[in-house]
Amino acid sequence: MPTQIITEPTFEPVTLQEAKDHLRITHSLEDNLITLAITTARMMAESYTQRAICQKTIEHYRDNFGYVMELHYPIVSSVTSIKYDDIYGVEQTLASTEYDSYLINEPAMIVQAYGKTFPGTRDKLNAVRIRYVAGYANHGAVPSPIKSALLLLIGHLYENREELTTVKMEEMPLGSKALLNPYRLLSCF
């Protein structure tokens, strides 16, 4: 079931200065390149761990309601809205009293509230849209092992700027994987 990022993160888990310190760079000539490497490293880590590292707003699409609906990319801090197309094709917003959210679970889950039944939906793709906020709330909340993994990835990207090099290229350096593995969500979405 597809997801879409509605609002991109407003910060990166590693600052430009932290990356430059790690790379031992004292000039500002390559700040744009390093900033790009920071964002790329975060996106690589998010893809590998299936976790939102920096807080962002995500919309998850479903064809219909299920008793249990998993939300991709923990950690989920809030459910903003659940919208659906009713049987007549009219967009409706589901009241928060109609469902319970279990946000500390990984993956987070939304289930029918006790004694409630989800409404019928139009028989079409993406009839249900769940908008939520996921990721660590600020730079300081990101765990140190994730930051360390990102610094290793940034160093790797900085040193290997071209597609072809004389060193053996790997999908993701092993040190980064070892640091990210405890945060990796192994689930079938």
Side-chain angles (χ1 to χ4, degrees), residues 3-9 42-43 46 56-59:
T3 59
Q4 178 182 5
I5 297 172
I6 303 301
T7 306
E8 291 287 345
R42 175 193 39 91
M43 292 174 77
E46 287 177 333
K56 61 183 88 177
T57 302
I58 299 172
E59 192 153 275

Side-chain angles (χ1 to χ4, degrees), residues 5-13 38-39 42-43 46 51-58 133-139 142:
I5 297 172
I6 303 301
T7 306
E8 291 287 345
T10 58
F11 70 94
E12 290 294 344
I38 292 168
T39 301
R42 175 193 39 91
M43 292 174 77
E46 287 177 333
R51 174 181 303 277
I53 294 174
C54 294
Q55 196 168 71
K56 61 183 88 177
T57 302
I58 299 172
V133 177
Y136 296 101
N138 57 55
H139 177 269
V142 178

